[in-house]
Amino acid sequence: MRLSTWIRAAILCPVLAVGFSAGAGATEAAKHVFSAVRGPSPEAPAPHGSYARGCLSGAVALPETGAGWQAMRLSRNRAWGHPTMIAFIERLSATARGLGWSRLYVGDISQPRGGPMLGGHASHQIGLDADIWLRIPGSEPMTLAEREAASSTSVVRADRLAVNGQWRPEHHRLLKAAASDPEVARIFVNAAIKKALCEAEPAGDRDWMRKVRAWYGHDSHFHVRLTCPTGAKGCEDQAPPPPGDGCGEELAWWFTAEALHPKPSPPKPELTLNDLPEACRGPVLQ
């Protein structure tokens, strides 16, 4: 991680970067514990647990700026991930430049030690999830100040039934490239985006579309989820998506009244340290 990022993080959130006693606050909301730690643990990289109930050892920071990307909203300190995720972003960025993207805007990946966040995500806990903005980049890179204030661009109509005029062929090509990567387990997008892919992709090899799944939100970014790295014994993969391209009845449901206007559900209990894998209560937080 660049020194300038550490300085900004210290100014914005002057918390000690050394971690917490594993025995303290075991019943405290884990998001408060993990969000307060500003740097990675000194262990070998390893994801522990599942995407929505876990943590991360030995996280690596995505550089603030690369040949084909910019990390956004650096003050959030969520540009950390497992090395396989950092390598994926670098790989996708290189591919994207050949598809008409001068750069990608990379949103949240994970916190320095993974774990639950104070807001914005239920997953992103083991360094294998990342948000890629759908905003088409400008001709010039954004400044650090612009990256803090900028938002992505929705490509979905207000009624959520179809994409809007911001949707471009470049988006389709980028999503196809990302989903075709063998390390990608899933990509979450708004249902209207999935619909646009289903309608535009020609017949033939549509196997990559199986990985692209409709989910709430995701109208201005897509969420990439990688499979657990080879040999990561404590990492729990999600079950594979069902066979097929996902363009049939399961997609049609997302445009029903039940899906478009869901009934409010009661909030889930906050995860505590005791709810996380044992590894997340030990050396990761030392």
Side-chain angles (χ1 to χ4, degrees):
M1 186 179 189
R2 293 185 181 180
L3 180 60
S4 58
T5 304
W6 277 101
I7 294 172
R8 283 194 301 278
I11 293 172
L12 289 164
C13 189
V15 182
L16 291 177
V18 294
F20 292 80
S21 167
T27 59
E28 178 186 0
K31 63 184 182 182
H32 296 299
V33 177
F34 281 91
S35 65
V37 187
R38 307 308 297 176
S41 68
E43 307 164 89
H48 307 286
S50 65
Y51 303 97
R53 192 181 289 257
C55 62
L56 175 64
S57 299
V60 176
L62 178 72
E64 296 172 3
T65 301
W69 76 85
Q70 288 190 291
M72 308 302 286
R73 298 175 180 171
L74 297 170
S75 65
R76 292 160 69 99
N77 201 27
R78 295 177 177 179
W80 299 83
H82 188 276
T84 59
M85 174 54 79
I86 304 306
F88 167 80
I89 292 172
E90 294 173 346
R91 189 164 65 247
L92 180 63
S93 298
T95 299
R97 294 181 72 185
L99 299 176
W101 294 78
S102 57
R103 69 190 63 83
L104 298 179
Y105 298 132
V106 182
D108 290 349
I109 306 174
S110 188
Q111 299 177 132
R113 307 196 186 192
M117 298 181 181
L118 286 176
H121 306 285
S123 59
H124 289 255
Q125 294 191 27
I126 57 175
L128 297 175
D129 295 281
D131 291 340
I132 309 295
W133 287 14
L134 292 169
R135 176 172 175 158
I136 298 292
S139 58
E140 297 295 329
M142 289 192 192
T143 66
L144 292 176
E146 288 171 337
R147 288 191 239 179
E148 288 296 326
S151 296
S152 191
T153 303
S154 175
V155 297
V156 175
R157 286 182 354 199
D159 63 8
R160 291 172 288 162
L161 296 177
V163 292
N164 61 26
Q166 298 296 323
W167 176 258
R168 302 185 186 182
E170 293 96 316
H171 291 117
H172 188 127
R173 293 195 292 266
L174 178 63
L175 282 163
K176 183 174 183 177
S180 299
D181 191 291
E183 292 189 350
V184 169
R186 273 176 169 76
I187 292 178
F188 299 102
V189 297
N190 186 279
I193 296 175
K194 173 72 175 185
K195 179 182 176 184
L197 297 174
C198 291
E199 293 174 345
E201 182 67 12
D205 183 10
R206 293 163 61 100
D207 189 59
W208 64 272
M209 295 181 66
R210 177 187 179 204
K211 298 181 183 179
V212 182
R213 316 305 298 178
W215 195 246
Y216 292 105
H218 299 89
D219 61 318
S220 61
H221 72 275
F222 63 96
H223 173 164
V224 179
R225 172 166 294 168
L226 302 186
T227 57
C228 289
T230 301
K233 296 181 180 179
C235 184
E236 300 174 21
D237 269 314
Q238 188 174 1
D245 60 13
C247 296
E249 292 182 4
E250 60 187 288
L251 178 60
W253 177 84
W254 286 94
F255 301 100
T256 65
E258 180 184 11
L260 291 171
H261 307 288
K263 295 180 179 180
S265 56
K268 295 181 180 179
E270 298 280 8
L271 292 175
T272 69
L273 291 183
N274 282 338
D275 294 321
L276 301 180
E278 184 177 353
C280 301
R281 306 191 296 272
V284 171
L285 286 178
Q286 298 302 305

